[in-house]
Amino acid sequence: SDPTKANYACEQEMYDTDIFAKRLKNFIHSQKLTHKLSATNDMSESFPVINSLSPEMQRVSCFMLVREHLELVPYLSSRFLSMHERSRVAKECMVLDFPPGETIRMSEDDSSIGRGIFVMIRGTAFATHGVVKSFSQRRRKAFVITAGQVFGAGEVLLSEGNVQSEGRIEVISFTRVLFIPRRAVLAALERNQKAWKDCARWKYLLAITIHLNSNDKAT
């Protein structure tokens, strides 16, 4: 077979996929303009037109909407997960809007949003890992996150009850994030052991190391 033709066919398929993604995103976003986005929506509520599609198209549409953001989480990217696997994760994601001054807590209790990964779509915020008990601790631990950055990709893998698994985001300017629930992350890694072995476990070990180092400094 001619390798030139094979390469052309592959490039054409990628081009067609990008064209489809762009058209689909434009259509869904245009439909969304007539609906108000609340602070705790899942994908189908954030983009109501998705509900009018077939189940398969709902899954594909969710994936197309968040594909570029999932790529920012190494073990959920196309390097490790297939389109089908990533689309299953995408279906469980939420698009969240937060005004300036709002504080988002991530923990297992009912008063917080729960545990997961935040991918910043727009805006700026202060973020901290673990439990902050004093202002001086907050000053030492807080760091700025902005559009294109990820918060919690290692900590979400820690077991429940680990202090470092908790966190908080203090919103500085209007902020939109993609929230990937912990259940979706763990389910994806359970289905794809390579993603865990080659990438996620190193994020897990780094989070453990940071936690141990912070304990040493505290004592």
Side-chain angles (χ1 to χ4, degrees):
S1 60
D2 187 344
T4 303
K5 290 183 178 180
N7 289 338
Y8 174 79
C10 182
E11 291 176 1
Q12 184 64 37
E13 183 178 352
M14 291 176 62
Y15 176 76
D16 291 343
T17 300
D18 287 339
I19 292 293
F20 172 71
K22 185 175 180 180
R23 289 177 177 173
L24 183 62
K25 288 169 70 174
N26 286 340
F27 171 69
I28 292 174
H29 279 289
S30 69
Q31 296 297 307
K32 174 183 174 293
L33 292 177
T34 59
H35 299 273
K36 184 178 179 182
L37 182 65
S38 73
T40 54
N41 286 335
D42 63 21
M43 292 298 290
S44 61
E45 290 174 339
S46 299
F47 304 95
V49 68
I50 288 177
N51 292 315
S52 65
L53 304 175
S54 67
E56 178 64 16
M57 282 302 297
Q58 286 183 26
R59 184 176 58 77
V60 172
S61 298
C62 289
F63 168 68
M64 293 298 185
L65 287 166
V66 304
R67 177 178 61 169
E68 62 186 291
H69 307 305
L70 288 180
E71 283 295 312
L72 297 175
V73 184
Y75 52 78
L76 298 181
S77 70
S78 56
R79 181 182 174 189
F80 295 104
L81 303 187
S82 67
M83 177 180 169
H84 178 75
E85 289 172 317
R86 284 177 288 150
S87 66
R88 292 181 68 172
V89 174
K91 190 71 169 62
E92 296 195 55
C93 291
M94 297 182 240
V95 176
L96 308 174
D97 283 353
F98 298 101
E102 185 156 350
T103 298
I104 311 150
R105 291 180 56 249
M106 289 171 288
S107 66
E108 296 296 335
D109 62 59
D110 295 335
S111 62
S112 77
I113 194 172
R115 293 178 59 192
I117 300 172
F118 277 84
V119 180
M120 297 285 286
I121 298 174
R122 61 175 295 188
T124 307
F126 286 117
T128 52
H129 292 300
V131 177
V132 177
K133 297 181 179 179
S134 66
F135 179 72
S136 61
Q137 218 179 37
R138 176 182 174 276
R139 287 184 59 188
R140 187 173 69 251
K141 295 176 113 179
F143 55 94
V144 174
I145 54 174
T146 188
Q149 294 183 304
V150 176
F151 178 68
E155 289 70 22
V156 74
L157 303 172
L158 298 176
S159 59
E160 295 182 17
N162 189 310
V163 176
Q164 189 68 13
S165 69
E166 299 187 18
R168 60 189 283 159
I169 294 176
E170 298 171 81
V171 179
I172 299 173
S173 62
F174 173 81
T175 294
R176 174 168 293 173
V177 302
L178 178 73
F179 179 68
I180 310 172
R182 184 172 186 259
R183 65 178 182 275
V185 174
L186 297 185
L189 293 177
E190 186 175 348
R191 290 189 295 264
N192 191 315
Q193 290 296 308
K194 181 175 174 57
W196 164 256
K197 181 179 178 181
D198 291 353
C199 185
R201 68 170 173 172
W202 303 113
K203 294 284 185 184
Y204 168 80
L205 290 172
L206 178 61
I208 287 287
T209 301
I210 293 172
H211 174 52
L212 293 175
N213 287 340
S214 65
N215 282 347
D216 290 341
K217 290 178 181 179
T219 56

